[in-house]
Amino acid sequence: QVQLVESGGGLVQAGGSLRLSCAASGRTFSTAATGWFRQAPGREREFVAAISGSGRIIYNTHSVKGRFTISRDNAKNTVDLQMNSLKPEDTAVYYCAARSWVVSDSPNDYDYWGQGTQVTVSS
């Protein structure tokens, strides 16, 4: 069992930065793949980035590659998402999710979800 809590969301102007953090509890977290997803009003949940326990990383290259960076600290049981050069279209609720072992870009593959944190980017 893994419990996830996101933090770090807020309001920022376009071009600014935010750092989201996902804090996890559960003894299997170090081997879990952890992903960030986002959902804007009226839209489907969208994959942002994911990282495996061993450090393999995948990004939504269309939307965030080159601007967002995912990282993890297994000693602290955290996975962070550094978001730079933010755009108004990045506005969404951002969710952290976890699954066993292998990274995936499909939300259907993830077993555990946090409650989400709101990110709002003003123009």
Side-chain angles (χ1 to χ4, degrees), residues 5-73:
V5 178
E6 303 94 336
S7 62
L11 173 64
V12 64
Q13 289 188 332
S17 298
L18 281 175
R19 188 177 184 90
L20 305 183
S21 186
C22 174
S25 61
R27 59 187 178 90
T28 61
F29 181 72
S30 63
T31 60
T34 306
W36 284 97
F37 293 81
R38 65 187 183 185
Q39 189 164 20
R43 302 189 66 177
E44 292 187 353
R45 194 161 295 190
E46 179 187 33
F47 170 71
V48 176
I51 184 169
S52 71
S54 61
R56 180 172 182 260
I57 293 172
I58 57 173
Y59 289 102
N60 181 332
T61 55
H62 175 69
S63 300
V64 305
K65 185 69 181 293
R67 300 188 298 123
F68 291 10
T69 302
I70 190 171
S71 61
R72 71 186 297 152
D73 186 334

